[in-house]
Amino acid sequence: MKTMLLRPLAAKSKKHNWQAMIALLFALLVIGASLYTFVYLKHDPTLTDLRGRLQAASALHPLGTDHLGRDVLTRLLLGGGQTLGYSLLALAAALLIGIPFGLIAGYKRGWIDKLFMRIADGFLAFPDTIVAIVLSGLLGAGIGNLVLAIVIVKWVSYARLVRSTVLSESQKDYIRIARTNGLSDARIMTKHLLPHIAGHVLVLASLDLGKIILLISSLSYIGLGAQPPTPEWGAMLNDSRPYFQSRPELMVYPGLAIVSVVLLANMLGDYLRDRFDVKKEVQP
């Protein structure tokens, strides 16, 4: 009976291991290809050649050329570096802001916690996408302003997660013992509390990466993110939209890239959620 119960768990664990391996290999492939293309530019991604516009796939241009004669493969790979790079930058900045705020608010409590909760309630009153669009419109079009808008939107979710975990952990005996032994608040937060929130934060960050990629791509598609001639997946979708009937593959390539990376980021998040045994309160 015990063996029969363990078999589904082992199968599930094996499945998630394969998912994580596939996601990691694909991420390394995209990053490696983007770096290689950046170092060794066979084609200038911004150089226009109207005589060679909308060419089909060939040995010189494996994925053809776009409406301005630019090599699609080069722009697709460099666009992956842009989309993933700025998504990771926004995610890292949100973590650097949210984790300290959540630690201090959950551990110190008092007026700091009350002030933080009022700020968090204000941000959470509206959907992330709506707030990001409004902030991007106010700050002005551009990938830098878009990243700043995403950071302003996203740091609250990490701070709330860290705060709730710290509130729970602060009531446990090992924290009381640490206080009794005279450890400073900073020491307790960094040595004892931070390791307990790392798994929760890592899971939420991996699940959030796909949402940030979609947000950057979608806002670049409507002109609030990367500006021409910068190669970026969402901007490439917008550039190819008028040629969908004659050359649909120009929209298919960046669209497939976005979908693939988002799905793999979610697979990695599911694996990490099971790996760290994080409960259902961590949502994508």
Side-chain angles (χ1 to χ4, degrees), residues 105-237:
Y107 187 79
K108 292 292 188 179
R109 303 185 188 180
W111 68 269
I112 298 178
D113 189 32
K114 293 179 181 178
L115 176 62
F116 164 72
M117 289 304 298
R118 299 294 77 78
I119 296 173
D121 291 341
F123 275 101
L124 296 176
F126 303 95
D128 291 355
T129 304
I130 301 299
V131 178
I133 291 174
V134 171
L135 290 175
S136 298
L138 292 174
L139 294 172
I143 192 66
N145 291 335
L146 175 56
V147 170
L148 178 59
I150 293 174
V151 172
I152 294 173
V153 169
K154 288 294 181 183
W155 73 271
V156 178
S157 58
Y158 296 101
R160 283 177 61 92
L161 175 64
V162 171
R163 173 187 173 274
S164 63
T165 306
V166 170
L167 286 175
S168 175
E169 294 294 324
S170 296
Q171 305 302 318
K172 296 184 178 179
D173 291 338
Y174 73 95
I175 297 296
R176 294 192 180 98
I177 293 173
R179 289 171 179 160
T180 303
N181 289 335
L183 267 69
S184 64
D185 292 341
R187 183 71 171 171
I188 292 174
M189 286 189 284
T190 55
K191 183 178 179 180
H192 295 286
L193 292 175
L194 197 58
H196 283 276
I197 67 174
H200 293 76
V201 170
L202 184 60
V203 172
L204 181 59
S206 60
L207 293 171
D208 226 11
L209 179 60
K211 294 177 64 178
I212 295 175
I213 291 173
L214 282 176
L215 198 54
I216 287 180
S217 299
S218 60
L219 293 186
S220 294
Y221 177 80
I222 63 176
L224 291 177
Q227 301 298 301
T230 303
E232 194 278 332
W233 287 343
M236 290 176 67
L237 280 172

Side-chain angles (χ1 to χ4, degrees), residues 94-110:
L95 289 171
L96 290 175
I97 297 173
I99 291 176
F101 264 92
L103 272 173
I104 295 172
Y107 187 79
K108 292 292 188 179
R109 303 185 188 180

Side-chain angles (χ1 to χ4, degrees), residues 46 70 75 82 86 143 226-232 235-236 239:
T46 61
R70 299 171 297 192
R75 289 180 60 81
Q82 291 277 338
Y86 282 114
I143 192 66
Q227 301 298 301
T230 303
E232 194 278 332
M236 290 176 67
D239 290 342

